[in-house]
Amino acid sequence: MSDPAPEKEAGTPPSVEKEAGPPATPETNEPEKKKREYKDFGHEQEAPTHAKVDMSKIELKAEDLYDKEKVDLETIVIDDVFKLLQCDKEGLSQEEAKHRFEVFGPNRLESEEQNPFLQFLSFMWNPLSWVMEAAALVAIALSNGEHRPPDWEDFVGIVLLLFINSAIGFYEERNAGNAVKALMDSLAPKARVRREGKWYEIESAELVPGDIIAFKIGDVVPADCRLTEAINVSIDQAALTGESLPQSKKAGDQCFSGSTCKQGEAEGVVISTGPNTFFGRAASLVGQDDDTTGHLQKILAQIGSFCLVAIGIFVIAEILVLYAGFRYTYRRGLDNILVLLIGGIPIAMPTVLSVTLAVGAQQLAKHKAIVTRITAIEELAGVTILCSDKTGTLTTNKLTIDKSIVRTYGPFSADDVVLLAAYASRTENQDAIDTCVVGSIGDPARARAGITLLDFKPFNPVDKRTEITYREESTGKIKRVTKGMTGIIIELCTRNKTDEVENKLEADVEEFATRGLRALAVAYEEVDGNNPEVEGNGFELIGLLAIFDPPRDDTKQTIDDALALGVKVKMVTGDQLAIAKETGRRLGLGDHMYPAKVLKDGPQPGGKHATLDEMIMDADGFAGVFPEHKYEIVKRLQGLGHLCAMTGDGANDAPALSRANVGIAVEGATDAARGAADIVLTEPGLSTIVHAIRGSRIIFQRMRNYSIYACAVTIRIVVCFGILAFAYKFDFPPFMVLIIALLNDGTIMTLSVDRVLPSNTPDSWDLAEIFAYAVAYGLYLTLSTIVLVVVILQTNFFENNFNATITQKNAGDFQLHMIVYLQVAIISQALIFVTRSHGFFFMERPSVALMGAFCVAQLISSIIAGFANFGFTNIKAISGTWIGIIWVWNIIWFLPLDFVKFGMKATVIKYLRERRQRRIADEVKSAGGEIPLTRTTSRAASVHESMYSNRVSFIRRAARKVGFGGNVKMSGDELRRFSSMQAQQTGLTLARNPSRTQ
């Protein structure tokens, strides 16, 4: 293919011999110029190595063959490869292949299957569910006694809540993407292999180390191999390594499993299969389960713990007071405890948050962002660092001529140089260089307009240039244009090859190289007469084109918007450092970037960075990185306390996408990247990410509002009914608490579409503030109920003023139970209007859905209060007068709630925030000026674990013991070996088998 920047020079092509010899001085200086011109675009060459130990001591097994301390199959001389693998070019015997298959296993990646039934049951295994399950057991098993039947009504209601919760969670998890499966599916299914001297077509899964394979244009490389024969081979490994262009390969080079042959044909010897391949190591990183719990799961666990502690305190108090103090009967005391268990546990919290996230996912879909893991929405709201791949993500992954910096050396203008270069390009069956050159003139038809093609020499690896001979129709003259590698083109030029031109050319090429731009030289000559095969009057260097992968049109604005939202953007690319810096400058991202080797070597002694973590935080990006490097960068940022998002489009990005708190696959991403990602963009560019960040922060505010509400209701229920039981021996029926919970949860579901404003900074769960607000609201609402009961039982205020009476006027009155039910139901649900607003509740208009649901729920509550006379529970309908009194009473008590909120902000919340700032300042001081950040974990576990539960490992162990599912996996030792030793060497591997275009 047309290659403007190979890593090493070739000899002068035969066509040069016909040219007049150049002056002596330029000839003498040329080698030094070439070395400087192209050094930046190559990789350091290392001589082939040999095994580091006696090869006779290396056994044919994975532990030895893939131990880098003993031997490196990827770089040793090809003869040693055959010796180590005990094979030859005729291939293995069928018996030996079968034996090696048993030793090394199949050439595919395996994943663990989950049993659906146990997966469903696992959603009922978490602290919140435990309490509700205990309450169900109390209602059905422990409620027998005193000649009363079990409490079937409460039991059915509790079980219904549990199953609804589990069903939603199960559905969400079963539809989540499986990154390992996507990586498996992208492996080549068939392979051509030579065994016993004959060629066969077999399943690629049957390949073993030592097999001789063949592939040609269009084939997917089925396993990591070393080439034994290569005829004009070009391999596209962008999806694996992030390199922009297909890479030329020669005999002895390595090809990676999963890459695609774009040109030529080759034979090679397989050196690694399945999980041992470059591709397999990426898959093992994606599939690693670090046994951590997802971010939202931890928040839910802490909120659940708060509720459990509050409930536990009052349950213990009731057991002591009611049984020991008041000598309650067994069943009577049990009913009071059930009230606290059913009313205090926010069992619907996971369901409400699930609906909120699911609706949010639908809203994000309108912005062309498909959410594959809904809990990622919550984590996206708190993301502080966005790590972005360059090729295909920040840039278009389509090479372009930068017309603004075209260098000219003759009478031709920049536009003329580009047009002549297009003449010297193919218009059909184009390679990447020809495509970008022809595309730069706008209309591809101009590449042949006004000329008659007489002869065309396409690019080949020897000449390293293209050449066209054509007749100009307007003048009838025959002309010739060539374009290609700078060193080759300048050797052809005889008419203007002066010291001045060569010095200028050298300076221009060096400038391009420094900026990460690929140089493409163009030369021109005229041919006398009408014979297109004769020599011309001598080539003249007319221009130098700069080729680069341009940023997407909206990328700069997207990065600016992300920074405005408090999200720092870091570029993490497999491309070269100079190219990364140039892209960073064009995007306003900065050019403070480092090569990947610093991730292994660390900062230089005496430099401004004392540790690698400091360097990673300070960097604008990293270049020349590979899957394990990206994974390590994300892991370290998380270790510094950041919630990290990663964007990418190739299989090489999959491990980091999986490790990140939020993985984002851009439009056109490979199946592997989409499978590893949490959010998949279906529209080009990154602008959708800004919409997703804003949308996620809206959703976060909705979840925070609900969390305050849920915790407040817990305090309100347990404290209120606990005090009433202690003060008046008040026996509230458990079934009515269940009704309150059902109506509240139905209304609160509409929070998923509520109107809220997103924050301009990353969100985080400040649980101390949430709990402080909850306690204040809960105690205030408790006071409203207790005062009402006191006024009813201790005074005649309502009888005298409203002629409202109850039957017995004592704590056991069934009508009093109904009054308390209606008062608690109305004002508890109205609390959401206070928690959802930052100022006065009437200043922030709620959604129509929320307001409508509240009105319907309270209408139902009022109807129940006025007409319900359930025989199975201790309630009795009340008059319309009482219903009106309760509504007015609640309105009077509701209005000051905003002042409770403002008072909390001015006192307790202010104190908590100042205390947090003082703590951070003390930590900074003790750390010598560096901010010590708390550790965050990846969300890898939450691919397989639901937001609804912090499930314990015995669920999985039970599945294995009873034989559910077929589990095929690597041992822990192998996983550690593949992800550490092999991972550290992968970058060096590609450096020793360099790109021909980088």
Side-chain angles (χ1 to χ4, degrees):
M1 60 177 287
S2 184
D3 192 343
E7 83 288 357
K8 64 178 183 177
E9 307 295 11
T12 304
S15 58
V16 177
E17 297 176 1
K18 67 182 180 181
E19 307 296 342
T25 301
E27 186 81 63
T28 303
N29 296 336
E30 188 63 17
E32 182 179 356
K33 293 178 184 177
K34 293 179 185 175
K35 183 177 181 181
R36 290 199 302 268
E37 285 172 10
Y38 304 106
K39 182 177 181 181
D40 283 346
F41 285 105
H43 299 271
E44 294 183 3
Q45 297 294 304
E46 296 185 14
T49 61
H50 293 272
K52 301 176 183 177
V53 298
D54 187 352
M55 287 193 294
S56 63
K57 296 181 180 179
I58 298 179
E59 298 183 26
L60 192 65
K61 59 183 181 179
E63 287 75 7
D64 277 5
L65 287 180
Y66 305 118
D67 186 346
K68 296 289 185 179
E69 298 301 320
K70 296 180 179 179
V71 63
D72 189 350
L73 284 172
E74 298 160 343
T75 58
I76 62 174
V77 294
I78 196 70
D79 290 340
D80 283 357
V81 173
F82 282 104
K83 290 179 182 178
L84 285 168
L85 295 177
Q86 300 172 27
C87 61
D88 56 40
K89 293 186 178 181
E90 294 301 310
L92 302 172
S93 66
Q94 296 292 353
E95 292 77 12
E96 177 63 17
K98 183 178 179 180
H99 169 69
R100 297 191 183 195
F101 186 87
E102 295 173 353
V103 172
F104 295 97
N107 178 37
R108 62 168 178 259
L109 309 177
E110 303 293 347
S111 61
E112 181 176 332
E113 295 293 332
Q114 287 184 301
N115 176 261
F117 179 68
L118 289 178
Q119 187 179 3
F120 177 79
L121 291 182
S122 65
F123 285 98
M124 298 184 188
W125 190 260
N126 63 82
L128 295 180
S129 294
W130 292 341
V131 177
M132 291 304 288
E133 289 155 9
L137 289 175
V138 168
I140 195 65
L142 302 182
S143 293
N144 293 293
E146 302 178 6
H147 306 292
R148 294 171 59 185
D151 194 350
W152 288 103
E153 296 81 9
D154 290 338
F155 174 77
V156 171
I158 294 169
V159 171
L160 184 63
L161 278 177
L162 285 170
F163 270 89
I164 290 174
N165 176 56
S166 296
I168 293 176
F170 177 76
Y171 177 80
E172 181 261 332
E173 182 172 289
R174 291 298 289 181
N175 284 279
N178 188 318
V180 175
K181 183 177 184 301
L183 287 166
M184 285 177 59
D185 292 342
S186 61
L187 281 173
K190 296 286 185 180
R192 290 185 66 231
V193 61
R194 178 188 287 162
R195 288 180 179 171
E196 299 176 337
K198 298 179 181 179
W199 287 102
Y200 300 91
E201 184 175 65
I202 64 172
E203 296 287 338
S204 64
E206 298 175 11
L207 288 176
V208 296
D211 267 331
I212 302 298
I213 60 172
F215 53 86
K216 59 184 184 306
I217 184 171
D219 290 345
V220 176
V221 180
D224 283 7
C225 63
R226 294 284 298 278
L227 298 184
T228 56
E229 296 181 17
I231 303 175
N232 198 21
V233 174
S234 178
I235 301 293
D236 181 3
Q237 54 193 35
L240 294 172
T241 65
E243 294 170 294
S244 305
L245 289 173
Q247 316 305 318
S248 298
K249 298 289 184 180
K250 63 181 185 301
D253 285 349
Q254 182 185 20
C255 290
F256 295 118
S257 169
S259 56
T260 305
C261 181
K262 289 293 187 180
Q263 184 176 335
E265 56 186 46
E267 294 181 13
V269 56
V270 174
I271 61 172
S272 55
T273 58
N276 297 319
T277 62
F278 181 96
F279 196 87
R281 292 193 296 272
S284 69
L285 290 175
V286 173
Q288 284 180 12
D289 187 354
D290 59 4
D291 293 327
T292 60
T293 307
H295 186 247
L296 187 55
Q297 289 98 305
K298 289 190 171 182
I299 300 302
L300 286 175
Q302 291 174 288
I303 293 175
S305 298
F306 171 82
C307 296
L308 290 176
V309 169
I311 294 168
I313 291 173
F314 277 85
V315 166
I316 293 173
E318 283 203 348
I319 291 174
L320 295 175
V321 173
L322 300 187
Y323 287 116
F326 296 162
R327 303 297 178 180
Y328 269 26
T329 62
Y330 170 73
R331 185 67 181 268
R332 183 182 179 189
L334 207 58
D335 285 345
N336 278 275
I337 293 173
L338 273 176
V339 168
L340 302 188
L341 294 179
I342 298 173
I345 288 293
I347 184 61
M349 176 178 282
T351 305
V352 171
L353 297 185
S354 175
V355 172
T356 302
L357 292 170
V359 171
Q362 293 175 357
Q363 294 170 342
L364 291 179
K366 296 178 181 177
H367 294 294
K368 308 300 182 182
I370 298 174
V371 180
T372 61
R373 182 180 64 93
I374 64 172
T375 56
I377 298 174
E378 176 269 337
E379 296 182 32
L380 183 60
V383 161
T384 54
I385 293 180
L386 172 63
C387 293
S388 177
D389 183 50
K390 179 188 74 70
T391 305
T393 303
L394 297 176
T395 63
T396 62
N397 198 19
K398 296 178 180 178
L399 295 182
T400 303
I401 302 292
D402 191 340
K403 294 184 179 180
S404 64
I405 56 173
V406 173
R407 300 291 190 256
T408 58
Y409 306 93
F412 295 93
S413 67
D415 288 340
D416 292 336
V417 171
V418 174
L419 181 60
L420 289 173
Y423 286 170
S425 303
R426 277 182 168 178
T427 56
E428 297 179 355
N429 299 320
Q430 298 170 315
D431 59 25
I433 297 295
D434 286 350
T435 299
C436 85
V437 173
V438 174
S440 66
I441 61 175
D443 183 4
R446 293 182 59 201
R448 293 293 181 265
I451 66 172
T452 300
L453 176 65
L454 301 178
D455 183 45
F456 188 88
K457 297 178 181 178
F459 173 85
N460 64 75
V462 177
D463 291 341
K464 297 185 182 297
R465 65 187 181 92
T466 63
E467 180 182 290
I468 184 175
T469 304
Y470 64 93
R471 186 186 304 276
E472 193 174 56
E473 295 177 354
S474 60
T475 63
K477 293 183 178 180
I478 297 177
K479 300 180 179 181
R480 188 174 289 134
V481 177
T482 184
K483 74 175 190 336
M485 172 186 152
T486 308
I488 297 297
I489 299 300
I490 192 63
E491 283 293 324
L492 295 174
C493 297
T494 57
R495 284 199 293 158
N496 65 340
K497 188 178 180 181
T498 63
D499 287 342
E500 180 182 358
V501 169
E502 285 194 279
N503 290 337
K504 185 173 185 298
L505 176 65
E506 181 179 345
D508 290 339
V509 172
E510 284 190 5
E511 178 192 350
F512 284 4
T514 302
R515 296 178 58 181
L517 305 173
R518 298 172 176 84
L520 186 69
V522 184
Y524 162 90
E525 72 172 356
E526 295 184 355
V527 179
D528 296 330
N530 291 318
N531 186 356
E533 296 183 359
V534 301
E535 296 182 2
N537 61 353
F539 276 107
E540 175 184 359
L541 180 69
I542 61 172
L544 190 70
L545 305 181
I547 300 177
F548 74 113
D549 182 10
R552 293 181 185 270
D553 294 337
D554 63 343
T555 299
K556 188 177 188 306
Q557 183 63 45
T558 298
I559 292 175
D560 293 341
D561 291 344
L563 293 174
L565 290 172
V567 179
K568 185 174 182 180
V569 181
K570 293 182 183 293
M571 182 193 302
V572 183
T573 176
D575 229 328
Q576 293 186 36
L577 183 61
I579 298 173
K581 287 185 175 183
E582 176 67 12
T583 304
R585 283 190 288 265
R586 289 174 182 261
L587 293 173
L589 191 62
D591 58 2
H592 195 194
M593 301 185 186
Y594 299 99
K597 66 179 182 180
V598 303
L599 297 174
K600 179 181 179 182
D601 301 338
Q604 294 182 351
K608 70 173 184 176
H609 301 115
T611 65
L612 179 58
D613 288 340
E614 288 182 18
M615 178 177 285
I616 290 176
M617 282 301 301
D618 182 58
D620 295 320
F622 293 88
V625 301
F626 299 103
E628 294 82 358
H629 298 139
K630 295 182 180 183
Y631 184 90
E632 182 67 20
I633 290 170
V634 171
K635 186 176 179 180
R636 282 185 173 270
L637 288 172
Q638 290 172 332
L640 291 171
H642 290 277
L643 290 183
C644 186
M646 169 72 185
T647 68
D649 64 341
N652 63 318
D653 300 316
L657 290 174
S658 175
R659 173 73 203 189
N661 298 94
V662 182
I664 304 171
V666 298
E667 188 268 342
T670 61
D671 288 343
R674 287 196 296 267
D678 305 303
I679 298 175
V680 179
L681 307 185
T682 59
E683 199 171 70
L686 294 179
S687 60
T688 305
I689 293 179
V690 174
H691 294 296
I693 291 175
R694 291 197 182 101
S696 66
R697 293 183 183 178
I698 289 174
I699 295 163
F700 181 91
Q701 290 298 321
R702 292 168 180 162
M703 293 192 295
R704 179 180 180 275
N705 296 342
Y706 171 72
S707 299
I708 295 174
Y709 167 82
C711 293
V713 168
T714 293
I715 297 296
R716 187 259 199 285
I717 293 292
V718 298
V719 176
C720 174
F721 289 109
I723 292 176
L724 287 177
F726 301 153
Y728 291 102
K729 298 183 180 179
F730 188 82
D731 301 329
F732 193 73
F735 184 79
M736 299 312 295
V737 174
L738 195 57
I739 294 294
I740 292 173
L742 288 172
L743 290 176
N744 279 357
D745 294 339
T747 300
I748 297 306
M749 292 287 181
T750 59
L751 274 180
S752 60
V753 293
D754 191 27
R755 294 186 179 93
V756 293
L757 296 175
S759 64
N760 289 323
T761 55
D763 288 311
S764 61
W765 289 95
D766 194 327
L767 294 180
E769 289 189 13
I770 290 176
F771 297 154
Y773 277 124
V775 170
Y777 293 144
L779 294 179
Y780 180 83
L781 296 183
T782 294
L783 185 63
S784 73
T785 303
I786 292 176
V787 171
L788 176 63
V789 172
V790 170
V791 171
I792 293 175
L793 295 181
Q794 302 295 329
T795 73
N796 295 318
F797 177 78
F798 293 117
E799 291 93 326
N800 296 337
N801 293 282
F802 304 101
N803 196 28
T805 61
I806 57 177
T807 307
Q808 300 177 14
K809 201 168 184 178
N810 60 45
D813 191 286
F814 288 4
Q815 285 188 317
L816 180 60
H817 293 169
M818 186 67 86
I819 290 171
V820 171
Y821 155 75
L822 185 59
Q823 194 272 337
V824 170
I826 294 173
I827 198 167
S828 296
Q829 199 171 102
L831 175 65
I832 191 61
F833 297 111
V834 175
T835 63
R836 65 173 295 278
S837 60
H838 298 282
F840 287 104
F841 75 92
F842 53 82
M843 298 297 291
E844 297 181 29
R845 183 165 58 95
S847 65
V848 175
L850 177 59
M851 195 66 201
F854 172 79
C855 293
V856 170
Q858 299 320 311
L859 177 62
I860 293 173
S861 294
S862 299
I863 292 173
I864 290 175
F867 299 96
N869 289 291
F870 301 143
F872 56 83
T873 189
N874 300 331
I875 59 169
K876 185 177 179 180
I878 57 177
S879 65
T881 302
W882 272 116
I883 294 174
I885 290 171
I886 294 167
W887 270 97
V888 173
W889 180 271
N890 281 337
I891 291 172
I892 293 171
W893 280 86
F894 174 78
L895 294 176
L897 268 172
D898 277 330
F899 295 100
V900 174
K901 175 171 58 183
F902 299 149
M904 288 292 295
K905 285 183 178 179
T907 55
V908 177
I909 303 303
K910 180 180 179 182
Y911 166 75
L912 291 174
R913 291 176 179 175
E914 289 176 349
R915 187 183 67 175
R916 184 169 65 249
Q917 292 298 325
R918 286 196 301 270
R919 185 176 67 249
I920 293 175
D922 291 341
E923 291 175 348
V924 170
K925 185 177 180 180
S926 63
E930 294 295 331
I931 299 178
L933 298 168
T934 57
R935 180 170 297 275
T936 64
T937 59
S938 81
R939 60 88 186 165
S942 59
V943 172
H944 299 292
E945 292 190 28
S946 162
M947 60 172 280
Y948 310 103
S949 56
N950 303 319
R951 286 168 279 171
V952 295
S953 60
F954 84 87
I955 291 288
R956 289 180 180 174
R957 291 200 300 270
R960 298 187 184 109
K961 287 180 180 179
V962 299
F964 286 125
N967 303 324
V968 182
K969 63 188 185 71
M970 293 182 290
S971 69
D973 291 340
E974 284 180 310
L975 273 176
R976 282 190 291 275
R977 176 163 51 79
F978 295 144
S979 61
S980 57
M981 183 181 299
Q982 292 284 85
Q984 294 169 5
Q985 297 294 329
T986 303
L988 297 178
T989 299
L990 285 187
R992 290 188 288 261
N993 293 272
S995 158
R996 296 299 187 268
T997 58
Q998 298 295 318

